[in-house]
Amino acid sequence: MTTRHFLRDDSITPAEQSEILDLAAELKADRWSEKPLSGPETVAVIFDKSSTRTRVSFAVGIADLGGSPLIITTASSQLGGKETPADTARVLERQVAAIVWRTYAQSGLEEMAAGTTVPVVNALSDDFHPCQLLADLLTIREHKGTTQGLTLTFYGDGTSNMGHSYVLAGVMAGMHVRVASPEDYAPRADVVADADRIAQQTGGSVTLFTDVNEAAAGADVMITDTWVSMGKEEEKLARLRDLGDYKVTSELMALAADDAIFMHCLPADRGYEVDAEVIDGEQSVIWDEAENRLHAQKALLVWLLRQQRQAA
Ligand code: CP
Ligand code: NVA
């Protein structure tokens, strides 16, 4: 049996991404319609890093699907020092239906997935945040009717999990993705190359900018994220200096399309990566975006469990 995992945005195909987003919209309209975890079966949700949205949306979502969430904080478990991801997965797979893990290195997720028979979901790593992107794409579909052909501009740390996930998932959804960052904070070349390959199938594109105004021109979706991701705290002063010009302001929003929306995965630092008048203003859709974590992740779990059970 081949188990499907969701370790990066391109662990699924563009058609599968669209199928999961359709399912997310159905589950949002009829919240308790799918019970693949009835029993209840347990899903392990492991955190090496802090979380509010991811923790709540997975816990609530797993319960909505008829299951029982088991939230594990790494500091109080054997994972992350005493036991390898592969050994942890071998223990968990006999008792849980899936494993969701927020961690640092992408390689840990790959190691866990390679060693287990249950689906492994990336709930944020240093390199990607693919669950957030499913929620963001659902939000864009809701506010814009489609993702295909839209222009999305991400400001700030293009090397971050969010920068990389917008590049991959945005192009998968047929969007023209612009990343505006200083050269030293441009997305990784291999991620851009993967997105360029995907763009040939979907009609999307990726363009890197250093000029904030050029990147805003006519954009349909304006996005930013913290300049200091979890794990980068020691670089805080340098990052505030290096990224200071990449703030989303009202002046920048005025260069985007008249009906542009503003998004942020949260948590936000008002006054740093975004001005309060933008994130709290009329174009901001951040609360829909945060709620959609629930619906998108439920759809992902339903879809992964279907693949698992069909293959068995
Ligand atoms: N956006 C997001 O993943 O938020 P949390 O860190 O609160 O989970
Ligand atoms: N880039 C941020 C996202 C938080 C949800 C971080 O990794 O801290």
Side-chain angles (χ1 to χ4, degrees):
M1 183 180 68
T2 310
T3 301
R4 296 293 299 273
H5 303 286
F6 191 56
L7 306 184
R8 7 186 305 165
D9 307 271
D10 58 355
S11 298
I12 53 177
T13 66
E16 289 169 344
Q17 180 195 68
S18 183
E19 191 186 332
I20 292 167
L21 294 174
D22 289 345
L23 184 54
E26 286 169 32
L27 284 169
K28 187 167 181 175
D30 190 1
R31 184 165 160 185
W32 287 278
S33 56
E34 289 276 354
K35 299 282 177 196
L37 294 168
S38 66
E41 289 189 70
T42 298
V43 174
V45 190
I46 310 171
F47 290 95
D48 298 358
K49 292 175 175 171
S50 303
S51 170
T52 297
R53 275 144 292 271
T54 306
R55 185 184 305 248
V56 172
S57 54
F58 269 110
V60 171
I62 290 160
D64 283 5
L65 298 177
S68 175
L70 173 62
I71 307 287
I72 301 171
T73 305
T74 320
S76 59
S77 79
Q78 306 289 16
L79 181 63
K82 288 194 184 152
E83 196 160 28
T84 64
D87 285 0
T88 303
R90 294 294 299 275
V91 173
L92 293 179
E93 71 184 11
R94 302 222 177 166
Q95 301 177 57
V96 305
I99 301 170
V100 177
W101 188 17
R102 168 168 286 195
T103 190
Y104 291 86
Q106 186 73 14
S107 57
L109 282 155
E110 284 162 9
E111 192 191 322
M112 184 174 276
T116 188
T117 54
V118 295
V120 175
V121 172
N122 178 358
L124 180 148
S125 66
D126 290 342
D127 293 344
F128 301 99
H129 195 2
C131 290
Q132 181 71 50
L133 260 290
L134 291 178
D136 284 24
L137 294 174
L138 177 63
T139 309
I140 295 167
R141 278 186 174 195
E142 288 174 349
H143 284 272
K144 295 281 166 200
T146 184
T147 52
Q148 188 68 42
L150 295 185
T151 297
L152 174 156
T153 305
F154 174 79
Y155 285 91
D157 182 6
T159 68
S160 69
N161 39 31
M162 291 305 301
H164 288 154
S165 278
Y166 281 118
V167 165
L168 277 186
V171 164
M172 287 173 69
M175 302 181 85
H176 301 294
V177 179
R178 300 174 179 171
V179 178
S181 71
E183 272 176 24
D184 289 349
Y185 292 82
R188 246 172 39 203
D190 63 290
V191 175
V192 175
D194 289 341
D196 281 339
R197 266 192 298 278
I198 295 165
Q200 291 172 11
Q201 301 168 40
T202 64
S205 64
V206 188
T207 313
L208 307 185
F209 290 82
T210 51
D211 186 296
V212 292
N213 294 333
E214 281 176 23
D220 301 293
V221 185
M222 296 279 279
I223 304 191
T224 188
D225 181 25
T226 181
W227 291 336
V228 189
S229 286
M230 291 179 277
K232 301 288 185 194
E233 292 81 1
E234 286 182 6
E235 299 174 16
K236 182 171 179 175
L237 286 179
R239 285 170 164 267
L240 298 189
R241 183 194 62 220
D242 296 345
L243 292 163
D245 291 339
Y246 291 81
K247 175 191 299 216
V248 180
T249 60
S250 295
E251 291 72 31
L252 210 50
M253 289 297 293
L255 300 176
D258 289 344
D259 60 352
I261 55 174
F262 172 79
M263 302 180 73
H264 191 309
C265 68
L266 304 176
D269 294 313
R270 287 172 175 75
Y272 289 88
E273 74 269 12
V274 58
D275 278 342
E277 61 193 19
V278 172
I279 194 169
D280 299 320
E282 284 186 355
Q283 288 166 283
S284 175
V285 297
I286 56 168
W287 307 124
D288 291 343
E289 183 182 4
E291 177 192 330
N292 282 338
R293 295 294 303 279
L294 171 67
H295 311 298
Q297 287 157 195
K298 284 172 67 182
L300 174 69
L301 288 174
V302 169
W303 188 86
L304 286 170
L305 292 167
R306 273 186 201 159
Q307 306 299 311
Q308 182 85 351
R309 289 165 188 176
Q310 280 164 10

